[in-house]
């Protein structure tokens, strides 16, 4: 079985974005969230089906993957837009759309939620939405944005006690978080080319600098996009940890995992050489950041299964990357698959 740990609903029916456009236009007034419960009521099941059949489902079939861990479009989370109420309404709508996708295609998708973060706000709403999504919508994880400001980095580091309420809930529910920023409102940082990769790298350095996993030994994070610059600069991070009298990086590997959303063979080769195979989860982030065809290979950049296939690893190790590690990091998924005899 091939589990893609990183997919977003980038092709949702246009009514979803229409609501968001109206919300953004109105967020300064009371209309920010008025009527939002019905915002997507006119999206039919058939519209949802057709939004997926020609995209994520077609690519699953073409590429031979089975199940996508699916979350709302990350760049559209837009935590920096409006206030906390804006974020709560938008987040609930987006998560409910994922729940509808999963209910239509339970064999192909399993849900991961966006969280209603907002710059300067506390985490009460975040914790409540995480609980709702896991206990009511049967989601198996969340996307946690380390920078709800959208590129200005005003939030405390992920190791700060500020974040502990959401970690306590993650531990209680036994769900991991993917560290995932959203759009950048800082023109210095291109969203998917700079801001995403910066955030991945930044999160890992934050984990080096503090003792978060002493307080939460079972807390689990997936750092996407191959871990940003981390695998490439592993020696730098090892050396920094050593100079700072911090534990060796291997101490983080019970809690920190990396996906394979690296869009060329040498990058995947390096990832697999540097990061232990037990810490790599197959992911493609399709249909997502990079949609084109690589003229040097004739294949889509985000067809990451091809790169895994080409790795000089045993079938047992590839099975870990494709399935075993995801089932370990997402225990609720493992339980669900076991219940289906898988
Ligand atoms: Zn993503």
């Amino acid at each position: 079985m091939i589990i893609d740990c990183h997919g977003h609903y980038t092709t949702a029916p246009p009514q979803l974005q229409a609501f968001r456009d109206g919300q953004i236009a109105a967020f300064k007034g009371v209309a920010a969230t008025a009527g939002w419960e019905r915002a997507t009521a006119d999206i039919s099941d058939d519209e949802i089906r057709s939004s997926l059949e020609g995209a994520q489902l077609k690519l699953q079939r073409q590429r031979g993957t089975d199940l996508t861990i699916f979350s709302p479009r990350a760049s559209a989370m837009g935590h920096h837009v409006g206030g906390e109420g804006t974020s709560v309404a938008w987040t609930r709508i987006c998560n409910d759309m994922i729940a509808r996708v999963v209910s239509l295609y339970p064999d192909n998708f399993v849900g991961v939620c966006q969280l209603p973060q907002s710059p300067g706000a506390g985490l009460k709403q975040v914790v409540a939405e995480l609980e709702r999504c896991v206990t009511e919508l049967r989601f198996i994880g969340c996307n946690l944005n380390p920078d709800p400001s959208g590129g200005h980095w005003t939030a405390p580091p992920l190791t700060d006690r500020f974040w502990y309420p959401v970690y306590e809930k993650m531990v209680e529910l036994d769900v991991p978080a993917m560290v995932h920023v959203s759009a950048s409102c800082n023109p210095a940082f291109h969203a998917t080319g700079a801001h995403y990769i910066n955030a991945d790298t930044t999160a890992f350095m934050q984990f080096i600098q503090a003792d978060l996993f002493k307080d939460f030994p079972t807390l689990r994070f997936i750092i996407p996009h191959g871990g940003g610059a981390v695998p490439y600069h592993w020696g730098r991070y090892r050396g920094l940890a050593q100079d700072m009298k911090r534990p060796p990086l291997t101490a983080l590997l019970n809690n920190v995992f990396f996906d394979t959303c690296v869009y060329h063979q040498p990058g995947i080769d390096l990832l697999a050489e540097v990061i232990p195979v037990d810490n790599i989860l197959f992911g493609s982030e399709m249909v997502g950041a990079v949609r084109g065809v690589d003229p040097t290979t004739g294949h889509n950049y985000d067809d990451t299964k091809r790169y895994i296939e080409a790795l000089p690893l045993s079938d047992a190790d590839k099975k870990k990357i494709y399935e075993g590690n995801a089932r370990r990091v997402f225990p609720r998924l493992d339980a669900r698959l076991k219940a289906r005899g898988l």
Side-chain angles (χ1 to χ4, degrees), residues 6 8 74 178 180 196 224-225 285:
H6 191 169
H8 301 292
M178 181 172 277
H180 209 309
Y196 280 27
H225 320 111
E285 203 175 22

Side-chain angles (χ1 to χ4, degrees), residues 73-88:
R73 186 155 66 104
S75 61
M77 295 190 294
H79 294 123
H80 58 279
V81 174
E84 189 180 29
T86 319
S87 195
V88 168

Side-chain angles (χ1 to χ4, degrees), residues 2-341:
I2 298 186
I3 300 169
D4 184 341
C5 78
H6 191 169
H8 301 292
Y9 195 11
T10 49
T11 57
Q15 295 95 314
L16 186 66
Q17 190 56 44
F19 167 79
R20 180 60 165 171
D21 292 343
Q23 193 195 33
I24 291 170
F27 78 78
K28 290 183 181 121
V30 289
T33 57
W36 64 270
E37 296 90 342
R38 297 176 301 284
T40 57
D42 65 329
I43 297 178
S44 69
D45 287 352
D46 278 346
E47 282 178 287
I48 294 176
R49 286 190 190 97
S50 67
S51 75
L52 296 160
E53 285 289 348
Q56 289 86 353
L57 286 168
K58 184 179 84 176
L59 294 173
Q60 277 186 357
R61 290 182 201 114
Q62 276 178 358
R63 298 178 184 180
T65 64
D66 298 299
L67 175 72
T68 301
I69 297 177
F70 207 49
S71 60
R73 186 155 66 104
S75 61
M77 295 190 294
H79 294 123
H80 58 279
V81 174
E84 189 180 29
T86 319
S87 195
V88 168
W90 173 235
T91 297
R92 286 186 67 127
I93 290 169
C94 291
N95 289 333
D96 287 350
M97 285 299 295
I98 296 298
R100 287 184 67 186
V101 167
V102 174
S103 74
L104 291 170
Y105 297 98
D107 293 338
N108 299 89
F109 298 103
V110 61
V112 153
C113 62
Q114 160 181 338
L115 295 170
Q117 298 176 244
S118 187
L123 294 175
K124 191 160 169 262
Q125 297 288 350
V126 168
V127 170
E129 179 64 1
L130 176 60
E131 178 145 48
R132 182 184 82 93
C133 288
V134 174
T135 62
E136 294 177 30
L137 306 183
R138 302 185 75 227
F139 286 13
I140 59 164
C142 60
N143 290 336
L144 183 67
N145 184 349
D147 173 31
S149 76
H152 293 283
W153 291 93
T154 55
L158 287 172
T159 49
D160 190 276
R161 297 192 78 86
F162 166 80
W163 298 97
Y164 277 25
V166 69
Y167 300 157
E168 285 161 7
K169 187 54 71 177
M170 285 167 59
V171 168
E172 179 194 319
L173 297 168
D174 204 11
V175 296
M178 181 172 277
V179 176
H180 209 309
V181 288
S182 184
S184 166
C185 62
N186 180 341
F189 299 128
H190 182 273
T192 51
H195 187 41
Y196 280 27
I197 309 302
N198 293 347
D200 305 334
T201 310
T202 297
F204 189 78
M205 189 65 215
Q206 291 175 355
F207 295 148
I208 290 175
Q209 289 176 267
D211 290 317
L212 177 63
F213 302 118
K214 280 191 180 148
D215 286 345
F216 296 98
T218 61
L219 190 63
R220 297 178 302 284
F221 291 101
I222 300 148
I223 303 186
H225 320 111
V230 170
Y232 193 66
H233 285 283
W234 195 248
R236 171 176 292 256
Y237 294 110
R238 281 182 57 226
L240 281 167
Q242 190 174 313
D243 289 351
M244 294 162 67
K245 315 286 186 222
R246 299 294 305 161
L249 301 190
T250 47
L252 295 174
L253 295 177
N254 289 326
N255 307 89
V256 179
F257 301 84
F258 301 85
D259 78 9
T260 64
C261 297
V262 178
Y263 293 157
H264 67 149
Q265 189 67 46
I268 291 285
D269 292 347
L270 177 109
L271 175 74
E273 191 174 334
V274 173
I275 303 298
V277 72
D278 287 332
N279 290 76
I280 301 173
L281 276 63
F282 174 71
S284 71
E285 203 175 22
M286 64 88 174
V287 176
V290 177
R291 304 189 182 197
V293 171
D294 182 344
T296 67
T297 65
H299 301 294
N300 284 83
Y301 289 98
D302 67 2
D303 187 357
T304 54
K305 181 162 163 270
R306 290 177 181 279
Y307 312 134
I308 309 300
E309 290 301 308
L311 285 175
L313 292 177
S314 67
D315 287 349
D317 280 349
K318 286 181 186 170
K319 190 173 157 57
K320 286 181 177 178
I321 293 173
Y322 282 139
E323 177 185 352
N325 296 337
R327 295 177 72 144
R328 198 156 44 85
V329 173
F330 293 90
R332 285 175 177 264
L333 173 61
D334 185 50
R336 198 114 16 115
L337 293 173
K338 278 183 178 145
R340 280 163 41 189

